């Protein structure tokens, strides 16, 4: 059940490691999202990085696979998977990090009168977003820790989105919880707007968490900066959740068709 965007797609898609990616860069994705009118049926964006692809291929997470299959848009987030797609398989999939997409939306697309809903974050985050961008309506719901395994807490989050119609719904409760929740909102029906599963993007945008410098990001080393800043938090995320992408890519290189890809690094079918 794909809750398709209302905008006719004028972009190509490429499958990489079993996931269909929209070939959109940050401005292109922002234009597609901004073209959706207020009141459009709820559809959501996943910004897949290395840990998402590991979850899909190595962990065989059926809930995440279902969420990915029903997403209105899936874009490529992460310098490492971007490099692997290009160098190993000859795939031209633009990089579209969730944090950059979020910044682009707030800076150039979201208008003060556009209602926004945020699931996750904090009251301080809400205050800073409203003050910085002049957002007049921003509804915030912060689920309790471990909410994704509590049916009542999940239901409360879904009902909040339905009962607070918004043009943009930012789901910032961490991966894969944001993706699970977006999928459940879409399946429930009755919600409107564009959901964005964008991790720590709002923390970066509001200055609550310091993001890596542009130099680190250009070199594809944002993961290293975050690991150095918070080793206890990011050690598992880097070495357990993300590092296996290299093994997955190596296996896919030997048998690309098993991962939905029809060509290797030479660009031939």
């Amino acid at each position: 059940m794909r809750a398709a965007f209302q905008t006719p797609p004028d972009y190509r898609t490429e499958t990489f490691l079993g996931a269909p990616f929209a070939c959109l860069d940050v401005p292109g994705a922002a234009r597609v999202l901004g073209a959706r009118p207020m009141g459009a049926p709820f559809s959501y964006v996943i910004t897949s990085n290395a840990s998402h692809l590991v979850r899909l291929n190595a962990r065989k997470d059926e809930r995440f696979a279902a969420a990915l299959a029903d997403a209105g848009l899936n874009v490529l987030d992460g310098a490492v998977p971007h490099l692997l797609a290009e160098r190993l398989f000859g795939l031209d999939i633009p990089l579209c990090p969730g944090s950059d997409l979020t910044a682009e939306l707030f800076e150039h697309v979201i208008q003060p009168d556009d209602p926004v809903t945020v699931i996750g974050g904090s009251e301080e985050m809400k205050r800073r977003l409203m003050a910085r961008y002049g957002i007049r309506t921003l509804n915030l719901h912060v689920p309790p820790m471990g909410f994704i395994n509590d049916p009542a807490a999940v239901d409360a989050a879904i009902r909040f989105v339905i009962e607070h119609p918004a043009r943009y719904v930012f789901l910032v409760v961490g991966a894969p919880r944001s993706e699970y929740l977006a999928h459940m909102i879409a399946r429930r029906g009755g919600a409107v707007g564009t959901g964005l599963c964008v991790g720590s993007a709002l923390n970066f945008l509001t200055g609550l968490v310091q993001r890596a410098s542009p130099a680190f990001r250009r070199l594809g080393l944002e993961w290293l900066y975050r690991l150095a800043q918070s080793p206890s938090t990011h050690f598992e995320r880097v070495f357990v959740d993300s590092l296996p992408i290299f093994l997955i890519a190596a296996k896919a290189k030997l048998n690309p068709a098993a991962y939905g890809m029809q060509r290797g690094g030479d660009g031939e079918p």
Side-chain angles (χ1 to χ4, degrees), residues 91-102:
L91 298 175
D92 180 18
I93 306 175
L95 193 57
C96 186
S99 296
D100 293 341
L101 177 58
T102 299

Side-chain angles (χ1 to χ4, degrees), residues 153-241:
V154 169
D155 183 67
I158 295 172
R159 284 190 291 104
F160 189 88
V161 173
I162 294 172
E163 293 169 4
H164 296 83
R167 190 165 187 176
Y168 301 95
V169 181
F170 290 88
L171 305 170
V172 292
V173 291
R177 295 176 294 277
S178 292
E179 290 81 7
Y180 294 164
L181 181 59
H183 191 216
M184 288 186 282
I185 295 168
R187 290 183 64 85
R188 174 75 64 88
V192 299
T194 298
L196 294 108
C197 306
V198 289
S200 299
L202 295 182
N203 280 325
F204 295 144
L205 192 62
T206 55
L208 291 170
V209 174
Q210 184 65 43
R211 193 179 181 191
S213 68
F216 267 81
R217 301 203 296 271
R218 282 195 298 271
L219 292 171
L221 296 175
E222 188 166 10
W223 63 270
L224 180 60
Y225 175 86
R226 298 180 72 178
L227 179 63
Q229 291 295 105
S230 181
S232 61
T233 301
H234 290 280
F235 182 88
E236 182 175 356
R237 190 172 302 174
V238 171
F239 293 104
V240 177
D241 295 342

Side-chain angles (χ1 to χ4, degrees), residues 26-156:
V26 170
R31 282 194 298 271
V32 169
L33 304 188
R36 297 194 79 221
M38 177 64 190
F42 182 83
S43 188
Y44 58 94
V45 181
I46 294 178
T47 57
S48 291
N49 57 29
S51 66
H52 291 86
L53 292 169
V54 169
R55 181 167 293 279
L56 178 68
N57 290 282
R59 297 192 177 184
K60 305 298 183 183
D61 184 338
E62 294 182 359
R63 292 178 72 187
F64 178 73
L68 183 64
D70 286 349
L73 201 67
N74 179 49
V75 294
L76 184 60
D77 182 343
V80 169
H82 178 255
L83 185 66
L84 291 172
E86 181 181 58
R87 299 294 175 84
L88 280 186
F89 301 101
L91 298 175
D92 180 18
I93 306 175
L95 193 57
C96 186
S99 296
D100 293 341
L101 177 58
T102 299
E104 181 78 8
L105 288 171
F106 274 97
E107 295 286 350
H108 302 295
V109 177
I110 297 175
Q111 300 299 308
D113 287 332
D114 287 334
V116 174
T117 290
V118 178
I119 305 298
S122 65
E123 288 291 339
E124 178 62 15
M125 174 189 289
K126 173 181 176 178
R127 186 192 68 77
R128 293 189 185 193
L129 281 172
M130 295 184 76
R132 180 171 180 178
Y133 296 104
I135 304 298
R136 296 190 176 94
T137 302
L138 195 158
N139 295 298
L140 172 70
H141 175 75
V142 183
M145 292 292 291
F147 85 98
I148 203 67
N149 298 313
D150 179 347
V154 169
D155 183 67

Side-chain angles (χ1 to χ4, degrees), residues 5-27:
F5 284 174
Q6 300 300 303
T7 306
D10 57 357
Y11 50 85
R12 60 187 174 84
T13 61
E14 292 276 9
T15 298
F16 172 54
L17 299 183
F21 285 94
C23 294
L24 292 166
D25 59 10
V26 170

